[in-house]
Amino acid sequence: MTGSKIRLYVDHDLAPGQSIALTREQSNYLFAVMRLEAGGRVSLINSRDGEYLADIVVANKKNGILVCQDQVKPLLLPPDLWLMFAPVKKDRTAFIVEKATEMGVREIVPVMTEYTHFDRIRWDKMDLQAVEAAEQCGGTYVPGIEPMEKLSDVLANWPADRQILFCDESKVGEPTSLKELPVDNDAPWAVLIGPEGGFSEEERDALRAHPNAHAISLGPRVLRAETAAIAALTLWQTQLGDWG
């Protein structure tokens, strides 16, 4: 059995026979925008139970109802990888969230650095962008969006077992080659992308002194933040992630 081309994230448990009451926004999307009718089918995900096919029982544009049938895809968790980045302009932050979800991360962690120019983010917007990306890319998991914290505070409370892939554009010292990273597919990691102005000297010194941080270069050209995020995630996934 295959799923539906229309996929929807719901905050409900999914199991055969489970009835799902849709929100007003979800009902409007399915029955006003997509023009589905009772008797049709959609696929559901919830980041816990995989993907289920569901029958449309009530096609009301304000409060539709679905009933789960069979599981069509098990839960596929991404690697235990965080993406930490300094927020940039609204559209470009949305791009980072979308692509990180598609490429496979467990958590998205906005951080405030000394040169971060955008100190306000809309958590609800970022969460919606991650949900929409998971619905579109065929994933069964939506990464969590953490509240923004200062980078210094994040590092001060850093988990002892989580490694950091620190993208250093400074060319100071010799950045680590990916081939030299500790290869452990079970180890949790984080990819850290700096702001457009780069990290401050104090931040760079703190990262280079951190026992879990590994500095790498993303090439001879300076990349925009959203490009750096994609490049770093690609390198990590091919070396240590689930792309191999």
Side-chain angles (χ1 to χ4, degrees), residues 81-158:
L81 174 66
W82 297 354
L83 173 64
M84 300 196 301
F85 73 100
V88 287
K89 292 181 180 179
K90 180 174 62 176
D91 291 344
R92 290 160 64 189
T93 289
F95 181 85
I96 291 172
V97 171
E98 176 185 283
K99 299 311 173 188
T101 301
E102 292 177 7
M103 299 176 77
V105 301
R106 195 77 63 90
E107 298 285 334
I108 296 174
V109 185
V111 292
M112 174 69 68
T113 68
E114 289 191 35
Y115 297 154
T116 299
H117 298 302
F118 299 90
D119 59 358
R120 293 184 181 181
I121 61 170
R122 287 283 302 275
W123 181 92
D124 56 334
K125 289 285 189 181
M126 293 177 67
D127 185 58
L128 179 59
Q129 288 151 3
V131 166
E132 290 177 346
E135 292 172 344
Q136 292 294 322
C137 76
T140 58
Y141 180 84
V142 178
I145 309 292
E146 296 298 319
M148 184 161 63
E149 295 186 67
K150 291 183 178 179
L151 177 60
S152 57
D153 292 340
V154 173
L155 293 177
N157 297 288
W158 193 254

Side-chain angles (χ1 to χ4, degrees), residues 203-242:
E203 291 168 336
R204 188 174 290 108
D205 289 344
L207 284 163
R208 286 190 171 275
H210 197 287
N212 292 27
H214 310 271
I216 65 164
S217 169
L218 294 179
R221 289 163 291 278
V222 176
L223 305 181
R224 290 175 63 156
E226 64 270 30
T227 309
I230 292 175
L233 289 175
T234 299
L235 290 172
W236 189 92
Q237 281 284 22
T238 55
Q239 183 75 17
L240 296 170
D242 59 4

